[in-house]
Amino acid sequence: MKKLDGAVAVVTGASKGIGAAIARELALAGANVVVNYATSREGALQVIRDIEEQGGKAIAIQADVSNSNEVDQLFNETVEAFGKISILVNNAGIFTFAPVEGITEDQFLRQYATNVWGPILTIQRSLECFHELGGSIINISSGVTRLLSPGSALYAGTKGALDLITVVLSKELGPRHIRVNAISPGATNTEGAQAIGAMSSESQQHYIAGTPLGRIGRPEDIAHLAVYLASNESAWITGEVIHASGGLR
Ligand code: NAP
């Protein structure tokens, strides 16, 4: 018997990076997994193939987490395929860094829509799909809320909001036996981090120098914690924001 046998999990933004690793690890632990993606259908299908090769079950569903009709569709199709859910991982997120003069209205609206409105919307729409016995919501925040580096005002603001939403909703949803926690990854080597130059050798050296455990984070480092927070092993943990950063602070 695996620790997530019988569980149904929705992972947003699971076509690559941290979300893909979380989807794979949840499936390895026995959950049936919905691999949500926005644009990278091929990436999502690869994650499904990886899961099936490990003997797991998963489906891919396209939905922009900031679009209410698409989020409705995401949960309708999930319940149709697998029945009631017990795990929601709000991982979909976007990040740009710029000094305050460089923040554009478009970046502001897109980042808050994806990183803050997205999780509110998915949590709202997921509630009627949660199993009567409850379950676990895991919001993927960021270590930027602790590093507070110059240039991170926009992105850190979205994740700071997500941290507070996590704690408030743990109180609202506790009576329904739904736990709500957040994971704050440190610098993690993903496609998204590479795309903004955060994994250049100079940036990696900078992060490693500040990391007691002396390396860059891997998506699996975050995924293992997500499996723990999804499982009954963390049954007494809610409203927590847990950093997974090798000690980077
Ligand atoms: P990534 O490699 O860029 O992957 C992002 C994922 O989110 C992709 O699957 C993408 O889907 C999806 N996505 C983006 N916008 C979406 C939307 N509107 N609706 C649905 N899906 C959407 O990013 P990552 O580095 O793995 O980051 C994942 C999460 O971890 C984010 O919340 C990020 O803020 C957080 N985080 C990352 C780091 C890091 O160092 N990498 C550190 C701290 C926190 P498509 O590809 O299909 O468009």
Side-chain angles (χ1 to χ4, degrees):
M1 177 91 180
K2 295 179 182 171
K3 67 174 102 165
L4 295 180
D5 270 347
V8 174
V10 175
V11 184
T12 68
S15 60
K16 55 170 81 120
I18 291 171
I22 292 174
R24 287 191 198 97
E25 290 297 327
L26 290 173
L28 202 55
N32 289 346
V33 177
V34 172
V35 173
N36 159 254
Y37 66 99
T39 57
S40 308
R41 181 171 164 74
E42 190 37 53
L45 294 178
Q46 183 57 50
V47 175
I48 306 281
R49 285 193 287 273
D50 295 344
I51 288 173
E52 288 175 346
E53 268 169 32
Q54 297 166 346
K57 260 197 193 169
I59 56 168
I61 303 180
Q62 191 280 333
D64 174 346
V65 293
S66 66
N67 178 310
S68 60
N69 290 332
E70 294 184 20
V71 170
D72 280 345
Q73 195 60 22
L74 168 66
F75 286 102
N76 289 342
E77 287 180 27
T78 296
V79 172
E80 215 173 280
F82 289 141
K84 296 267 181 182
I85 73 165
S86 50
I87 301 161
L88 168 64
V89 183
N90 282 312
N91 165 79
I94 52 176
F95 34 87
T96 56
F97 294 87
V100 67
E101 307 93 304
I103 298 172
T104 66
E105 185 178 359
D106 178 61
Q107 281 171 355
F108 174 87
L109 294 174
R110 273 179 12 92
Q111 234 165 116
Y112 272 85
T114 309
N115 299 0
V116 184
W117 176 231
I120 290 177
L121 201 49
T122 57
I123 291 172
Q124 239 177 31
R125 303 301 159 97
S126 73
L127 287 179
E128 65 195 43
C129 304
F130 257 94
H131 200 282
E132 317 58 81
L133 294 176
S136 173
I137 295 174
I138 301 162
N139 294 325
I140 303 302
S141 179
S142 173
V144 293
T145 57
R146 192 162 73 170
L147 289 169
L148 300 173
S149 308
S152 69
L154 177 57
Y155 178 53
T158 67
K159 294 300 190 178
L162 186 59
D163 288 354
L164 297 188
I165 289 166
T166 298
V167 181
V168 172
L169 294 188
S170 72
K171 297 181 183 180
E172 282 187 32
L173 303 181
R176 301 190 201 194
H177 308 292
I178 298 173
R179 299 182 293 108
V180 189
N181 292 290
I183 299 175
S184 298
T188 307
N189 196 346
T190 64
E191 291 86 334
Q194 288 165 16
I196 61 158
M199 289 297 132
S200 67
S201 59
E202 196 187 328
S203 296
Q204 288 206 23
Q205 274 170 22
H206 164 79
Y207 288 125
I208 290 169
T211 303
L213 293 182
R215 64 168 171 81
I216 293 290
R218 304 175 187 125
E220 298 71 37
D221 294 323
I222 311 308
H224 294 146
L225 180 53
V227 170
Y228 171 69
L229 288 175
S231 77
N232 275 336
E233 288 177 355
S234 61
W236 196 231
I237 298 177
T238 195
E240 303 295 346
V241 177
I242 303 173
H243 286 259
S245 68
L248 175 69
R249 65 180 63 232

